[in-house]
Amino acid sequence: MHASSVDTARMRFGTSRAVRAAATRPGIRFVPTDAGLVRVRDSGGTGPVLLLVCDPPNVIEHYDAVVELLAPTHRVVCGELPGFGFSRPSRGFGFTLPEYESVTEQLLENLNLTRVTLAFPCVWGYVALRVAARRADLVEGLVLAQIPEWSQEVAWARRIDSTGIIRTPLIGQVLMAVVPSWVADRWYQTALPPGQSSEPFVEPVTTALRSGAVFCLASLTQAWFARPAPVLPVVTQPVRLLWGRADRSHRRSDPESLLPYLPHGRVVAYEGAGHFPELEHPDRLRQALTALGSI
């Protein structure tokens, strides 16, 4: 039995309660995909389309200020990818990079999204790169955050799991099932700038987890970083790489290491910003979109 089946098997319990608890904001709905129902918040509107995904353990509720800022000019679709938040994966889902690529393409198609800018932070940035290369007919640009070249991402993942517990099959899944809030709290203490309160980040995820949300970090880590490196494509669309220099988890990462894959890419670094530059100061995301010509 593959260790990730522990997570997908337990997803069967409490699903109805979680779906009811998930309707916390206007425009929230569940979109069917082969990997299960994906929770999204859709602002509607006819402006340029922005598809952004939550950087776990963040959930849709963390993005209130982003949606409020951008909804007057954009159709903002914010989603939680399977295994995180209220997007419970279907049985048999393997948490692999190709599966997340397929989910993203299904979201684009099922929501009829065209001429889209993808705002994918952290590990999801690798999904965005591959989707953008394959679906240039739908994706016009990318805004990525805290994403270095793959080998540096692997080193980062090992640093934040220094004990190796999360990447240990079965043990990691049990840990994330029993104490997900504790893991989230520890992560925010490392990822946010020194001296910044973690409470605005901790409260939404704690509330979500108590209401039936999930945080399948172990299954994701084991599926991605114990396998051969994926092939990263050259992406010809314009790209902005947002980088918070006060993110202690990435202090050894090179913000410019991904640029060889991005002939039209540019790094925009912020002193004093942590792992979530677009959430800590939402106007940074708007500035990046302006630079891409989305407004």
Side-chain angles (χ1 to χ4, degrees), residues 12-29:
R12 292 177 293 167
F13 302 98
T15 300
S16 297
R17 179 176 69 90
V19 169
R20 291 193 299 271
T24 64
R25 302 290 188 273
I28 284 183
R29 57 182 166 132

Side-chain angles (χ1 to χ4, degrees), residues 221-291:
T221 299
Q222 294 163 24
W224 283 42
F225 299 119
R227 300 185 180 209
V231 175
L232 298 184
V234 173
V235 172
T236 58
Q237 294 96 322
V239 181
R240 287 295 179 272
L241 294 168
L242 308 186
W243 197 270
R245 292 196 182 277
D247 174 6
R248 285 163 288 173
S249 76
H250 268 300
R251 62 185 178 272
R252 300 180 191 173
S253 301
D254 179 4
E256 297 188 352
S257 59
L258 198 65
L259 290 180
Y261 301 93
L262 309 173
H264 302 291
R266 179 185 172 189
V267 174
V268 184
Y270 301 97
E271 301 297 334
H275 191 80
F276 316 105
E278 78 287 9
L279 283 180
E280 295 165 39
H281 197 312
D283 196 55
R284 291 169 179 149
L285 181 53
R286 182 167 65 178
Q287 292 168 0
L289 293 171
T290 300

Side-chain angles (χ1 to χ4, degrees), residues 65-130:
V66 172
V67 175
E68 181 179 355
L69 178 67
L70 295 177
T73 54
H74 285 70
R75 178 184 175 188
V76 182
V77 180
C78 179
E80 298 161 346
L81 292 181
F84 301 95
F86 289 93
S87 296
R88 294 181 163 217
S90 60
R91 192 163 190 174
F93 183 68
F95 298 87
T96 65
L97 177 55
E99 286 173 302
Y100 281 112
E101 293 173 48
S102 178
V103 168
T104 301
E105 290 192 47
Q106 290 174 57
L107 286 176
L108 295 174
E109 293 167 354
N110 293 347
L111 290 168
N112 296 314
L113 304 182
T114 59
R115 303 184 64 183
V116 179
T117 297
L118 302 180
F120 280 39
C122 195
V123 294
W124 302 139
Y126 302 103
V127 175
L129 290 173
R130 288 164 59 114

